[in-house]
Amino acid sequence: MKTVTSLGKYLFALPFLVFGIFHFMKAGDMAGMTPGGSEILVYVTGAAHILAAISMLIGKLDKLAAILLALMLLLFIILVHVPAMENNPNEMNAILKNVVMIGGALMYA
């Protein structure tokens, strides 16, 4: 059973690595969602995703990375998804996805 549950660490971290890569590949498209429309914020958050994933995968400063990841995801809810709800009621799906990931990050920490 321990072998199966130890996979959780990798299953949690790997999507953040992919999210981070997507931030670099689609920075121009994602910039419109950031406060001020800044591509720099997309790159910074993409790097944060990648660094958090690497930290969790190698087990170095992983608890701190998970807490900071949870904080970043909370900021995404407040600064990106809640304001977008006015024009897109489907943003609630993104909010709930982020809440789940926050919970996972805090449980990891």
Side-chain angles (χ1 to χ4, degrees):
M1 185 61 119
K2 184 157 175 63
T3 305
V4 174
T5 58
S6 65
L7 289 174
K9 166 179 155 174
Y10 302 102
L11 293 174
F12 183 70
L14 285 174
F16 289 105
L17 183 64
V18 174
F19 292 154
I21 292 168
F22 285 168
H23 275 66
F24 282 91
M25 291 172 54
K26 302 283 187 178
D29 297 338
M30 293 178 160
M33 294 187 288
T34 65
S38 171
E39 276 189 39
I40 294 172
L41 283 176
V42 177
Y43 291 126
V44 168
T45 57
H49 278 97
I50 292 168
L51 292 172
I54 291 170
S55 179
M56 289 184 280
L57 290 170
I58 65 173
K60 300 288 183 190
L61 297 173
D62 54 338
K63 309 244 183 306
L64 175 62
I67 291 169
L68 293 174
L69 180 63
L71 178 61
M72 182 175 70
L73 294 168
L74 178 62
L75 289 172
F76 286 172
I77 291 171
I78 295 167
L79 299 173
V80 176
H81 299 299
V82 169
M85 282 184 72
E86 183 177 324
N87 298 324
N88 183 3
N90 290 326
E91 282 296 318
M92 182 55 75
N93 294 333
I95 291 170
L96 293 173
K97 174 197 65 143
N98 278 299
V99 169
V100 167
M101 292 188 301
I102 291 168
L106 294 175
M107 284 177 28
Y108 183 101

